[in-house]
């Protein structure tokens, strides 16, 4: 089999059909022209026979439309992002767009490089989920983004005050919901395993947890706060530390850390929820865990994809609400990983 | 913030630098030309200041090189494929290529459409994992592939006799390893939950299982064979059926079905391996399961990515071993989900 055949050009078709290349171009691009229908049909047949592909690289120079959108994401292996990618892809396809996906591997340099590469390949618009590096220091990237010639929408990892279209979840509210639920179940000694980022979901989930404690008059105790990095190992280590305190429950800020946390509980012979209560975040584990039904904060990935696509499609049609910012609210799904306690130290303030 | 700024062109730079657009083009493309270094520096500074992006769509018309590769995969949410994508991406980046990923959603029509779209955007080469639909009836797609003007490598889902570069695993051998291990542990009543495809991994893993039974003189019994579709629910249903037989162990042909199988065992109060033995396939669950250490057939995704990249990079350099076909051997990783039995019906034939 010959895999490197020469590309068929308009000239080849013109030669075979016996008309000028310019006329072939008009016909294949369905432009108005004074050419007989018979001749038009012949040209299209020759093109089909020769498997002629309109060179979109050339065509996009003229029309500036590729019907292709791009999604830049931080990590293709992270199930949250791959699920989101699938949801976005479905919506793009249903609207006549192809979607291509590129991963930054959580590097700022790659964010910048990919933006340039994708722009130069003529994609019509971009869905952008920032790398952690870009999120921690977004100024440089914003300069880059302000020069983009196509519309883009920022998803999930965004900052307040950004002057661009964006959709994200309210992480602070998620943290609040998790901690409040534990408090309402009677827990007072509540741990939190969080990611220590400057601006991302980690910080905001912790802030929500603290707000709930404050509202119900429970002091925040340093010994109950453990840093993690959203990976399993850090959850395992945090569990080791928290099980040596008198905590009765913990809010673990993402599912990967919860997996590590659960492993430690399992190794030490703790039963859930009888011996220890947990609230997690993400709801990505429900098919995997046997014998543990996690109460968890849920972010609706379908809704995130839906709103992001809606925003970008609108902008591609030239609608001018360029700066629209949507913040979606997570919800709490109650299952069986929290037990009720009646030995709380009683209310210091607030009410339940 | 102005998001839809006009693209900076060579003409804009020429005007500001006070030289001809042709000269600017020579300079920015680093072509040899008789222009003073001072002027060259000025032009590059102006271009940088104005954030000029070389239009790769235009450039690729001339050079036919985009330094971009594409990966077409069946399902971005499937962890096997997303892990593979990440491994391929790392290797592309290390070799100076950008990788874009597109999903066919397991549809033959999308395979064809994506091939055309990606070719027309000027990618330099393609990694292709076929959709199930294409795999079941590959002829049409092969015609399409034979007309591609860039090199491609087929990964994972391939057919014997395909005249193209390809890398895949030996599924038959995987099935054999799984069943043989159970036999060597003394099991004689061994179930198999397999996918009933015509040509894919499912059929071949079943064939391997049968070969092992045959070698050790154990008759294949219909009641021990259960069809699934690689999804969890089908594993759950298969477990229900197999637990009503006198089987003592089952080879479940992928991890998702094993999850369903385990759930049923858990619900019925079976302990693993004391009450029932399992061998799975994929090794994607080891971080998720608490209290079950799965013995499993492992396919080395790193090696698959490594070999696929190696093949495509070679072909991009013009090496002519176009038809090379690599078949990688899976291995068995023994953990704790199989118990030894000494009540086997004894050897009918073969030896252990």
């Amino acid at each position: 089999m010959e895999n490197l055949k020469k590309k068929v050009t308009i000239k080849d078709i013109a030669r075979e059909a016996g008309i000028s290349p310019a006329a072939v171009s008009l016909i294949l691009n369905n432009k108005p022209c004074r050419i007989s229908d018979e001749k038009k049909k012949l040209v299209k047949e020759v093109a089909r026979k020769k498997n002629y592909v309109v060179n979109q690289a050339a065509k996009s120079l003229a029309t500036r439309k590729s019907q292709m959108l791009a999604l830049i994401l931080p990590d293709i292996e992270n199930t949250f992002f791959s699920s989101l990618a699938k949801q976005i892809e479905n919506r793009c396809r249903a609207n006549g767009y192809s979607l291509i996906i590129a991963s930054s591997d959580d590097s700022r340099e790659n964010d910048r490089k990919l933006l340039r590469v994708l722009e130069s390949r003529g994609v019509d618009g971009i869905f952008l989920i920032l790398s952690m590096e870009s999120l921690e220091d977004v100024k440089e990237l914003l300069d880059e983004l302000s020069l983009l010639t196509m519309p883009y929408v920022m998803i999930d990892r965004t900052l307040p005050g950004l002057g661009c279209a964006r959709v994200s979840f309210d992480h602070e509210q998620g943290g609040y919901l998790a901690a409040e639920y534990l408090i309402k179940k009677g827990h007072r000694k509540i741990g939190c395993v969080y990611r220590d980022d400057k601006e991302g979901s980690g910080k905001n989930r912790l802030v929500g947890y603290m707000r709930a404690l404050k509202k119900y008059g429970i002091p925040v105790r340093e010994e109950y706060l453990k840093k993690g990095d959203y990976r399993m190992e850090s959850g395992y280590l945090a569990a080791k530390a928290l099980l040596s305190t008198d905590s009765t429950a913990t809010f673990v800020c993402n599912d990967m850390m919860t997996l590590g946390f659960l492993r430690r509980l399992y190794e030490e012979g703790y039963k859930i929820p009888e011996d220890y209560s947990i609230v997690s975040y993400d709801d990505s584990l429900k098919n995997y865990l046997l014998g543990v039904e996690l109460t968890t904060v849920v972010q609706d990935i379908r809704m995130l994809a839906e709103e992001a696509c809606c925003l970008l499609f609108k902008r591609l049609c030239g609608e001018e609400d360029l700066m629209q910012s949507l913040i979606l609210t997570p919800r709490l799904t109650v299952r069986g990983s929290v037990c009720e306690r009646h030995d709380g130290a009683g209310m210091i303030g607030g009410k339940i």
Side-chain angles (χ1 to χ4, degrees), chain A residues 8 22 29 69 80 146 170 190 216 254 269:
Chain A
V8 178
N29 286 297
L69 303 177
F80 178 82
S146 71
D170 185 342
I190 304 169
Y216 291 98
N254 92 332

Side-chain angles (χ1 to χ4, degrees), chain A residues 265-289:
Chain A
L265 287 176
Y266 176 82
E267 285 174 8
E268 301 236 345
Y270 281 71
K271 286 213 175 73
I272 296 166
E274 296 85 340
D275 303 328
Y276 206 84
S277 295
I278 287 205
V279 176
S280 188
Y281 213 107
D282 292 339
D283 199 23
S284 66
L285 300 177
K286 67 169 178 288
N287 293 332
Y288 293 94
L289 300 175

Side-chain angles (χ1 to χ4, degrees), chain A residues 88-195:
Chain A
I88 290 177
E89 174 203 312
N90 289 343
R91 283 162 180 78
C92 287
R93 192 164 273 139
N95 284 273
Y97 289 98
S98 301
L99 180 73
I100 56 178
I101 300 162
S103 163
S104 68
D105 202 19
D106 253 326
S107 132
R108 185 192 300 133
E109 191 48 41
N110 288 334
D111 272 341
R112 300 183 62 180
K113 197 169 162 191
L114 286 172
L115 280 173
R116 296 213 152 202
V117 168
L118 292 168
E119 179 171 42
S120 73
R121 300 321 291 174
V123 300
D124 291 342
I126 292 182
F127 299 99
L128 174 61
I129 309 174
L130 290 177
S131 66
M132 274 313 292
E133 277 187 12
S134 291
L135 194 65
E136 297 279 329
D137 180 5
V138 85
K139 203 198 145 306
E140 213 178 342
L141 194 74
L142 280 183
D143 292 344
E144 195 100 8
L145 286 168
S146 71
L147 293 158
L148 271 191
T149 51
M150 79 275 277
Y152 69 95
V153 171
M154 218 179 262
I155 311 181
D156 187 46
R157 296 177 173 179
T158 76
L159 299 171
L162 280 190
C164 68
R166 60 192 198 273
V167 196
S168 59
F169 285 107
D170 185 342
H171 299 292
E172 201 269 354
Q173 181 65 12
Y176 181 86
L177 288 173
E180 184 182 50
Y181 180 73
L182 286 167
I183 296 168
K184 287 193 169 174
K185 284 291 189 182
H187 292 271
R188 296 293 172 271
K189 295 163 179 171
I190 304 169
C192 181
V193 187
Y194 67 103
R195 185 173 66 185

Side-chain angles (χ1 to χ4, degrees), chain A residues 193-339:
Chain A
V193 187
Y194 67 103
R195 185 173 66 185
D196 188 27
D197 47 35
K198 236 170 65 189
E199 289 285 0
S201 60
K203 181 195 155 204
N204 289 312
R205 291 173 192 176
L206 175 67
V207 168
Y209 156 94
M210 289 184 177
R211 177 162 67 88
L213 266 61
K214 195 173 169 201
K215 181 176 168 197
Y216 291 98
I218 301 167
V220 172
R221 282 167 58 179
E222 273 296 328
E223 61 181 308
Y224 292 161
L225 306 183
K226 299 296 167 200
K227 286 180 195 174
D229 59 6
Y230 280 11
R231 287 165 209 254
M232 201 165 47
E233 179 68 13
S234 67
Y236 182 87
L237 294 173
K240 217 169 152 179
L242 277 162
L243 294 181
S244 72
T245 70
D246 60 352
S247 64
T248 60
T250 287
F251 163 44
V252 187
C253 287
N254 92 332
D255 269 347
M256 287 314 291
M257 295 195 296
T258 296
L259 268 182
F261 205 100
L262 290 173
R263 180 163 297 275
R264 184 71 196 178
L265 287 176
Y266 176 82
E267 285 174 8
E268 301 236 345
Y270 281 71
K271 286 213 175 73
I272 296 166
E274 296 85 340
D275 303 328
Y276 206 84
S277 295
I278 287 205
V279 176
S280 188
Y281 213 107
D282 292 339
D283 199 23
S284 66
L285 300 177
K286 67 169 178 288
N287 293 332
Y288 293 94
L289 300 175
L290 298 172
V292 179
E293 304 288 331
L294 275 179
T295 291
T296 182
V297 180
V298 181
Q299 304 181 121
D300 187 335
I301 292 180
R302 272 169 193 272
M303 193 194 292
L304 185 63
E306 180 67 35
E307 296 295 350
C309 288
C310 191
L311 263 181
L312 191 58
F313 294 164
K314 270 191 200 163
R315 299 192 61 194
L316 288 166
C317 297
E319 287 196 28
E320 287 298 314
D321 56 340
L322 301 183
M323 307 306 158
Q324 200 175 339
S325 162
L326 282 173
I327 296 173
L328 309 175
T329 306
R331 62 173 202 278
L332 189 81
T333 293
V334 173
R335 298 202 190 94
S337 63
V338 176
C339 80

